[in-house]
Amino acid sequence: MANESWGFMPYVSLDTFVIPHGGKYPIFILGLLIYFVCLFSNVTLLAVIVLHRNLHKPVYFILFSLPLNDLIGITAMLPGVLAGIITENNRIPYPLCVLQAFLLHLYGGGILFILAAMSFDRYVAICMPLRYSLVMTPRVVVCVITLVWALDFTLITFLFSLQTRLPRCRSDIMNVFCDNPSLLKLMCGNKSVNNIVGLLNTAVMQALSVSVQTFSYVKILITCLVTRQTDTKKKAVNTCVAQLVILIVFEIVGTFTILSHRFQNVSGDLQKVMGVLIFLISPLLNPLVYGLYTSEIRNTVLRVLKNRVFV
């Protein structure tokens, strides 16, 4: 009976940050500023790709998914955390908690698959430049983008569908936002299947993404070393630096956060901070990194700004 009554509770309680006296409003304003900077920079990147025909190329159509994915991640996480800070109300409807967790995991898998797709595009462009237009046709690009989102959606949906078989007997989440490990801790019964599938899910995503990127970057590096064309070398370096910076930072923060749920001696506050950073670093870094290292995007933005100033 106890389990049944808990299962019908419409709300769950999230954990909160320990905020010093007088720090609530400065932290809220800083978080709001970060959110609007992320919104502006990622929407700008999306608009630049859509509105300028010189960027209507396979690499930028694939890149389009990255800021879109970043907007999903940061919008699913940050407004809720900031609302909890300012209102001091840490209760959230359970269905909304599940939706938030689903979108955040969709965002995490999305980064891995999108970066893999982008690395493959760069491999074809740099290692097979004469065949690029034959390989990366509009149909292939659509298939690649569809595969990225479909594979991500399918894996995350399967992961969350396993929770429906377990009764819910708790209502306190020891995190400032909802995610699959936190939701699983609310459940009673045998969770071994969920834990195994969760680890396998992570392993499959990592293996697919890292293997594609490793293959692509090794081939790009070899081409860079053997070719005498300075232009090709510059393109290779810019491509590798931009994508590897984003991948390495995401992997470090993401790996720590995932593993921290498996060990009891990791500080809860450190878990919260690192968890939030996953959804802040990429939306902040991506527009900056691709704006600096992608000459076509950088030149297009500068041209638009110049035209605006002198109009």
Side-chain angles (χ1 to χ4, degrees):
M1 292 297 293
N3 285 355
E4 291 178 6
S5 63
W6 277 105
F8 287 102
M9 283 192 67
Y11 291 92
V12 293
S13 297
L14 298 172
D15 203 357
T16 57
F17 284 111
V18 179
I19 299 175
H21 179 71
K24 180 171 72 171
Y25 290 103
I27 290 174
F28 174 77
I29 292 171
L30 177 62
L32 203 61
L33 180 63
I34 291 173
Y35 180 61
F36 283 126
V37 167
C38 289
L39 277 184
F40 175 77
S41 57
N42 283 282
V43 168
T44 299
L45 185 54
L46 290 172
V48 167
I49 294 172
V50 170
L51 297 176
H52 294 86
R53 295 184 64 85
N54 64 306
L55 298 179
H56 291 180
K57 301 175 182 178
V59 60
Y60 299 118
F61 286 132
I62 298 173
L63 173 62
F64 186 87
S65 292
L66 198 59
L68 185 63
N69 187 62
D70 286 339
L71 288 173
I72 291 173
I74 196 166
T75 301
M77 187 277 297
L78 194 54
V81 172
L82 294 177
I85 290 174
I86 201 68
T87 63
E88 298 183 357
N89 178 15
N90 62 342
R91 298 182 73 202
I92 180 174
Y94 180 71
L96 191 59
C97 183
V98 174
L99 177 61
Q100 182 188 47
F102 180 86
L103 291 175
L104 294 182
H105 282 264
L106 194 71
Y107 157 83
I111 288 182
L112 294 174
F113 291 140
I114 293 166
L115 290 178
M118 291 173 64
S119 69
F120 174 75
D121 172 86
R122 293 297 81 198
Y123 155 69
V124 178
I126 295 170
C127 300
M128 298 183 289
L130 299 179
R131 297 180 56 197
Y132 182 75
S133 59
L134 297 175
V135 176
M136 299 302 292
T137 62
R139 183 177 179 179
V140 170
V141 172
V142 170
C143 288
V144 168
I145 295 171
T146 303
L147 179 62
V148 164
W149 286 101
L151 187 58
D152 188 22
F153 184 83
T154 300
L155 288 173
I156 300 305
T157 300
F158 177 64
L159 177 66
F160 276 78
S161 66
L162 292 176
Q163 292 190 9
T164 59
R165 68 188 187 86
L166 296 172
R168 182 159 55 97
C169 58
R170 301 178 186 86
S171 64
D172 294 326
I173 289 179
M174 303 307 293
N175 202 351
V176 293
F177 56 82
C178 301
D179 57 8
N180 182 64
S182 299
L183 287 174
L184 195 56
K185 291 176 184 177
L186 302 180
M187 306 299 177
C188 294
N190 188 347
K191 307 173 190 176
S192 57
V193 173
N194 299 69
N195 287 323
I196 292 170
V197 170
L199 289 172
L200 284 175
N201 231 21
T202 302
V204 167
M205 287 182 171
Q206 292 283 355
L208 287 174
S209 177
V210 173
S211 60
V212 170
Q213 292 186 71
T214 300
F215 171 82
S216 300
Y217 290 133
V218 168
K219 289 289 188 179
I220 289 172
L221 181 61
I222 293 172
T223 301
C224 179
L225 293 175
V226 300
T227 186
R228 295 183 178 181
Q229 298 179 18
T230 307
D231 211 32
T232 304
K233 290 184 178 181
K234 185 178 179 182
K235 182 189 285 188
V237 170
N238 287 346
T239 299
C240 292
V241 169
Q243 295 186 16
L244 286 175
V245 165
I246 293 168
L247 176 66
I248 291 170
V249 171
F250 178 78
E251 288 287 357
I252 291 172
V253 179
T255 300
F256 176 85
T257 304
I258 292 169
L259 292 178
S260 68
H261 283 280
R262 309 293 170 185
F263 300 99
Q264 300 296 324
N265 57 346
V266 178
S267 166
D269 289 332
L270 186 58
Q271 278 185 2
K272 296 173 197 172
V273 172
M274 296 297 284
V276 169
L277 283 178
I278 291 179
F279 306 102
L280 293 183
I281 290 176
S282 180
L284 282 170
L285 273 184
N286 286 348
L288 181 64
V289 168
Y290 283 100
L292 288 175
Y293 282 97
T294 308
S295 58
E296 283 186 290
I297 292 178
R298 182 178 66 249
N299 293 337
T300 301
V301 172
L302 290 176
R303 187 169 62 252
V304 170
L305 292 175
K306 185 178 179 180
N307 291 338
R308 292 283 183 181
V309 170
F310 290 103
V311 166

